[in-house]
Amino acid sequence: MADAFRQALSDAQGMVRRWSEKSGLAQSPDASTLSMAMGSALAGGKAFRAFLVLESSRLYDVDEEPRERAAFAIECLHAYSLVHDDLPCMDDDDMRRGRPTVHREWDEATAVLTGDALQTLAFQLVSNPRVGPHAASLTESLARASMAMVRGQMADIAAERVETPLTLQEITQLQSEKTGALITWASTAGPQLVGAHSEGLSRYAKAIGLAFQIADDVLDETGDAAAVGKAVGKDSAAGKATFVSHLGLDGARARARELVEEACDALDTYGDAADTLKQAAQFVVDRTH
Amino acid sequence: MADAFRQALSDAQGMVRRWSEKSGLAQSPDASTLSMAMGSALAGGKAFRAFLVLESSRLYDVDEEPRERAAFAIECLHAYSLVHDDLPCMDDDDMRRGRPTVHREWDEATAVLTGDALQTLAFQLVSNPRVGPHAASLTESLARASMAMVRGQMADIAAERVETPLTLQEITQLQSEKTGALITWASTAGPQLVGAHSEGLSRYAKAIGLAFQIADDVLDETGDAAAVGKAVGKDSAAGKATFVSHLGLDGARARARELVEEACDALDTYGDAADTLKQAAQFVVDRTH
């Protein structure tokens, strides 16, 4: 992993920890169950989406508080989706980010409400007046991304219940909603925070979002549960159509590499300032967890 | 029920139906499961919170689109909380608003995601630029109300698991979070939409919020499931502390009547213009469902 990216990702993780503490979500003897469960859901993540917000903000000279609010918000929204996704009625997972899932550590009702509260917190963070004059439009675009995510999750569940496996095009569409929408929001938060628009960052986000999912499918096939921090091999065992089942392992890896190139090309206008984002694109396909 | 209030409530119900259709949530052959489930959760409600938004908006001459967005948003937020509350891991209810709950009509995963999507839609509606210059602060206060609601729900669950029944003060605090926060937001949305503050509407909201919950406890004790549209007698059967268990049926009814008077007094500054809101306060304690 390239040094600049390694450092920036570690900074983003530190920022998430700081905002978790600031928001009263850290482990402490007098914390409520809700606070502890929210803090637990936020802990130990890669903070990749927060990193994207912070880096795209750097390109647009966004002030510290607005960019950190947006970065923490996207991690809250992502964490909410994981807590609900892990529920017994959804993916029924026991482990997440190397620790017990919220419904395993506490119970299902706590997990439902913890996810609900994390979603609420995300919107509370970005609609705050301190985000500046573009708070409302940033909040609305976060809501659109969040809605796309839920649509993608519904499509994912529906796909598991039909006999015909999804086509490559259908999987691509589903993933662009399920995981791509939040990655796109994060990658374009910087310009959005100053009322600007960036075609380059949108194209970058689209490419890494897809590469991210392809890499996830590859990891599900080849990864080690301990390193990945959650169960692996579930999709393949379930006979689910994935990028790997369509393209094969080598084909999927090759497609991911192509997408990394597309992502880097899209950032040409930013010159060296975008080097860390380019390293991030590479990380997306090289990661082992 | 007084005529002006009856008409205004029916108008609010019509508005919710209109916005459900406009948002693609009505029943139609080509609607997605998510849209149908969201529409089902929104259908058949009293639209009392929407009514509060519309009436408080009338007192402050708020334009049609901002007030309708806020009114529909609070109904979406309320509907989300009902869908999740009804889940097997929470209250495990089969009926709501006279029809099967979302997890009974579809399944649990659909109910989790439907609630999630309704919460998202609420924030999307109020952060839209068409809400005007106060969109961000209105969104933030909606998030605060939503967070208070989840805290109240957590406290409610925790209370069921301890041997000592809650004191009257604890129940009052719990209810002010669980149901009072949304009612306060709805009752003050009008002034908030024009950047104003109303002490009177805040006091009104606090009083009717509490009266509403007391009336709910009375209904749970005395109501008829068919008229109420959901199961009754559950709290009393579970030996749960309620306003009725503390004050007795007559005491609870007397306290509710006192609160209606407090609510009406708080609106004195508005003169006749607040008559419909005063009738609403009366309705809160007189309702049979």
Side-chain angles (χ1 to χ4, degrees):
Chain A
M1 203 192 301
D3 281 349
F5 171 62
R6 189 200 304 262
Q7 184 59 51
L9 196 62
S10 156
D11 289 350
Q13 288 160 10
M15 192 228 75
V16 171
R17 274 195 301 273
R18 241 176 17 253
W19 275 81
S20 290
E21 282 167 27
K22 219 160 111 169
S23 314
L25 307 181
Q27 308 286 322
S28 86
D30 59 338
S32 68
T33 302
L34 183 63
S35 299
M36 284 199 292
M38 290 168 79
S40 168
L42 282 162
K46 286 188 292 289
F48 183 65
R49 289 158 190 78
F51 155 82
L52 290 171
V53 171
L54 298 176
E55 272 305 299
S56 70
S57 292
R58 212 168 48 72
L59 295 177
Y60 285 82
D61 283 328
V62 177
D63 287 343
E64 186 176 348
E65 175 141 3
R67 72 174 181 249
E68 293 199 345
R69 281 185 172 273
F72 188 49
I74 195 73
E75 291 296 327
C76 290
L77 204 70
H78 179 51
Y80 123 65
S81 76
L82 298 181
V83 172
H84 283 185
D85 243 9
D86 288 339
L87 283 167
C89 66
M90 307 267 281
D91 285 354
D92 194 13
D93 277 311
D94 295 336
M95 296 291 287
R96 170 67 72 175
R97 293 172 167 176
R99 56 170 71 197
T101 48
V102 174
H103 68 272
R104 294 291 291 174
E105 177 78 35
W106 287 275
D107 51 58
E108 282 183 54
T110 302
V112 170
L113 291 171
T114 297
D116 291 345
L118 284 165
Q119 179 177 181
T120 298
L121 181 55
F123 288 110
Q124 192 174 336
L125 286 159
V126 289
S127 58
N128 188 285
R130 293 187 182 186
V131 169
H134 305 289
S137 65
L138 189 74
T139 304
E140 206 220 357
S141 74
L142 186 62
R144 283 180 195 276
S146 175
M147 192 64 87
M149 180 176 70
V150 173
R151 272 198 309 267
Q153 286 168 312
M154 283 291 292
D156 205 11
I157 290 173
E160 281 169 17
R161 292 178 185 168
V162 293
E163 298 257 323
T164 333
L166 295 188
T167 64
L168 191 57
Q169 197 183 356
E170 284 167 339
I171 297 176
T172 306
Q173 169 62 25
L174 188 158
Q175 293 302 342
S176 86
E177 291 190 324
K178 189 178 166 190
T179 59
L182 291 204
I183 288 179
T184 296
W185 186 88
S187 304
T188 58
Q192 284 194 71
L193 277 161
V194 296
H197 173 78
S198 164
E199 191 51 45
L201 283 170
S202 300
R203 277 170 45 220
Y204 167 84
K206 210 171 161 179
I208 64 161
L210 190 52
F212 197 93
Q213 192 53 47
I214 294 176
D216 236 31
D217 285 354
V218 169
L219 273 178
D220 188 72
E221 192 77 25
T222 65
D224 167 58
V228 177
K230 63 179 181 186
V232 296
K234 288 179 75 173
D235 290 347
S236 140
K240 199 172 156 183
T242 67
F243 289 104
V244 173
S245 74
H246 274 287
L247 303 171
L249 261 181
D250 288 345
R253 286 189 177 119
R255 178 75 187 114
R257 278 194 301 273
E258 265 175 36
L259 287 162
V260 170
E261 276 188 48
E262 278 177 44
C264 293
D265 290 350
L267 299 180
D268 271 351
T269 46
Y270 296 103
D272 296 350
D275 277 355
T276 315
L277 284 171
K278 289 179 186 172
Q279 290 169 16
Q282 193 60 52
F283 157 77
V284 159
V285 299
D286 289 347
R287 73 203 164 97
T288 54
H289 63 282
Chain B
M1 203 192 302
D3 280 350
F5 171 63
R6 189 200 304 262
Q7 183 59 51
L9 197 61
S10 154
D11 290 349
Q13 288 160 9
M15 192 228 75
V16 171
R17 274 195 301 273
R18 240 174 21 251
W19 275 81
S20 290
E21 281 167 29
K22 219 160 113 168
S23 313
L25 307 181
Q27 308 286 326
S28 87
D30 59 340
S32 67
T33 302
L34 183 64
S35 300
M36 283 197 293
M38 290 169 78
S40 167
L42 282 162
K46 286 187 292 290
F48 183 65
R49 290 157 189 78
F51 156 81
L52 291 171
V53 171
L54 298 176
E55 271 307 299
S56 70
S57 292
R58 212 169 48 72
L59 296 176
Y60 286 82
D61 282 329
V62 177
D63 286 344
E64 184 177 349
E65 176 142 2
R67 71 173 182 251
E68 294 199 345
R69 282 184 171 272
F72 188 51
I74 195 71
E75 291 296 328
C76 290
L77 205 69
H78 179 51
Y80 122 66
S81 77
L82 299 181
V83 172
H84 282 184
D85 243 9
D86 288 339
L87 282 168
C89 65
M90 309 268 279
D91 286 353
D92 194 12
D93 278 311
D94 294 338
M95 294 292 285
R96 170 68 72 176
R97 295 174 167 175
R99 56 170 71 199
T101 47
V102 175
H103 68 272
R104 294 289 293 175
E105 177 79 35
W106 287 276
D107 52 60
E108 283 184 52
T110 301
V112 170
L113 292 171
T114 296
D116 291 345
L118 284 165
Q119 180 179 177
T120 297
L121 180 56
F123 289 110
Q124 191 174 336
L125 286 159
V126 289
S127 59
N128 189 285
R130 293 188 183 186
V131 169
H134 306 288
S137 65
L138 188 76
T139 305
E140 207 220 357
S141 75
L142 185 62
R144 284 179 194 275
S146 174
M147 191 65 87
M149 179 176 71
V150 173
R151 273 198 308 267
Q153 285 168 314
M154 283 292 293
D156 205 11
I157 290 174
E160 281 169 17
R161 291 177 186 169
V162 294
E163 297 258 322
T164 333
L166 294 189
T167 65
L168 191 57
Q169 198 183 357
E170 285 167 338
I171 297 176
T172 306
Q173 168 62 25
L174 187 158
Q175 293 302 344
S176 85
E177 291 191 323
K178 190 179 165 188
T179 58
L182 292 203
I183 287 179
T184 296
W185 187 87
S187 304
T188 59
Q192 284 193 72
L193 277 161
V194 296
H197 174 77
S198 163
E199 192 51 45
L201 283 171
S202 300
R203 278 169 42 219
Y204 167 84
K206 213 175 157 175
I208 63 161
L210 190 51
F212 196 93
Q213 193 53 47
I214 294 177
D216 235 32
D217 285 353
V218 170
L219 273 179
D220 188 71
E221 192 77 25
T222 64
D224 166 59
V228 177
K230 62 180 180 185
V232 297
K234 288 181 76 174
D235 290 348
S236 138
K240 200 172 155 184
T242 66
F243 289 103
V244 173
S245 73
H246 274 287
L247 303 170
L249 259 182
D250 288 346
R253 286 189 177 119
R255 179 75 187 114
R257 278 194 302 272
E258 266 174 36
L259 286 163
V260 169
E261 276 188 46
E262 278 177 45
C264 292
D265 290 349
L267 298 181
D268 271 352
T269 45
Y270 296 102
D272 298 349
D275 278 354
T276 315
L277 284 171
K278 290 180 186 172
Q279 292 170 14
Q282 194 58 53
F283 157 77
V284 159
V285 299
D286 290 344
R287 73 204 164 95
T288 53
H289 63 283

